[in-house]
Amino acid sequence: QAAFHLGAILEVWVILQALSTGSASLADAFVLESAGRLVTVLFKVIPFRMGVDEAGAAVVATALGIPPSHGVALALVRKLRILVWNACGLVVLARARR
């Protein structure tokens, strides 16, 4: 479980590095990841957390001195990852049913 959380923090850090040309620290990634987990728990009832992830990431990014647009982009990239893995799972299920 610790490896999962470390991987999630590294994922955030890599995305921030790509967005902000290396100005974000691992501490920033840790805070953004932690806030993202909190948003996930608190707003589980909202389907796919439409807009909530993006707004939360923008607020936390601003508090960290990172442009809010980078927080929104981070949330969108992570949401895209979820969609891709869900699509892969659906393909596997569809092929298994044949």
Side-chain angles (χ1 to χ4, degrees):
Q1 198 166 31
F4 168 78
H5 292 295
L6 181 63
I9 293 167
L10 288 175
E11 174 191 39
V12 170
W13 183 76
V14 166
I15 293 168
L16 288 175
Q17 293 300 310
L19 290 172
S20 59
T21 63
S23 64
S25 68
L26 279 173
D28 293 337
F30 176 79
V31 171
L32 277 163
E33 172 58 23
S34 299
R37 296 263 175 234
L38 182 62
V39 165
T40 298
V41 170
L42 292 177
F43 296 98
K44 199 82 161 162
V45 296
I46 297 175
F48 206 54
R49 293 178 314 281
M50 291 298 240
V52 177
D53 287 333
E54 294 81 0
V59 168
V60 174
T62 301
L64 293 171
I66 299 170
S69 60
H70 291 208
V72 172
L74 168 68
L76 291 173
V77 167
R78 296 187 85 190
K79 201 166 277 190
L80 179 63
R81 175 187 44 85
I82 292 168
L83 285 171
V84 167
W85 282 113
N86 284 337
C88 290
L90 288 173
V91 167
V92 168
L93 284 173
R95 289 188 178 178
R97 293 193 70 132
R98 287 185 198 181

